[in-house]
Amino acid sequence: MPLPDTMFCAQQIHIPPELPDILKQFTKAAIRTQPADVLQWSAGYFSALSRGDPLPVKDRIEMPVATQKTDTGLTQGLLKVLHKQCSHQQYVDLADLEQKWKNLCLPIEKFRAIVDLDPCEDKMEWMKFLALGCSTLGGSINTAMKHICEILTADPEGGPARVPFETFSCVYRYLSKLEGTVPPAEMESYLATLKETVDKRKNGMIALSDFFITKRKV
């Protein structure tokens, strides 16, 4: 005989005290991130939460939100999420990075296209992947460097977007060499001009305004 339906009263149901806050934070994160596949993203979210890893969550909603129906879905905000998850290590395991990419509901074809720009086997230097990702967002190397600065900076949104000059120069050299359109001598001359500006400030930081002002002069 089938068992009768079990009856519960309110006193018998135990709700973990932390559950409401977990669900509240999850809902806020989903709204900010606007994942294309909520189930895929949710799996990555709770997996990261259980391990104590950085969560796959945007700082804010990006408008308009890119969708895979119209483009690759990759945005500066999503690259910043990956940076939070990966920047603690110099080299990232490509299999782990690919899973993080999938958890953000991004097409795997785009991931492989980025890796193929500078092929490697099992691991890739994180800053190189980030630079390549920024370069694929469209526009010139100047646009890519703008994305880099805005992702790496500790300044609040809308601020000067300052980053260490050494980091800036390494990324600029890397992208310039891959692009191959700027002669090495011209590239080094440009960076030397930028460094003069940075040295006057004596903090080792370059701001976006330095970058674009100098670009107009050279």
Side-chain angles (χ1 to χ4, degrees), residues 65-83:
V65 177
T67 67
Q68 293 182 32
K69 293 180 180 179
T70 57
D71 54 37
T72 66
L74 184 62
T75 65
Q76 179 180 303
L78 291 175
L79 283 173
K80 189 171 184 178
V81 170
L82 288 172
H83 182 65

Side-chain angles (χ1 to χ4, degrees), residues 74-130:
L74 184 62
T75 65
Q76 179 180 303
L78 291 175
L79 283 173
K80 189 171 184 178
V81 170
L82 288 172
H83 182 65
K84 289 179 179 179
Q85 294 181 307
C86 301
S87 59
H88 63 284
Q89 49 193 345
Q90 182 179 359
Y91 289 87
V92 290
D93 182 84
L94 287 179
D96 181 58
L97 181 55
E98 182 177 325
Q99 185 57 55
K100 287 181 170 62
W101 184 274
K102 290 178 179 177
N103 289 342
L104 290 173
C105 312
L106 292 166
I108 193 59
E109 295 80 8
K110 183 64 175 179
F111 174 82
R112 291 169 182 162
I114 291 175
V115 173
D116 287 344
L117 293 173
D118 190 6
C120 52
E121 294 198 11
D122 300 324
K123 293 181 180 292
M124 187 173 195
E125 193 171 345
W126 168 246
M127 285 302 300
K128 288 185 176 181
F129 184 89
L130 179 61

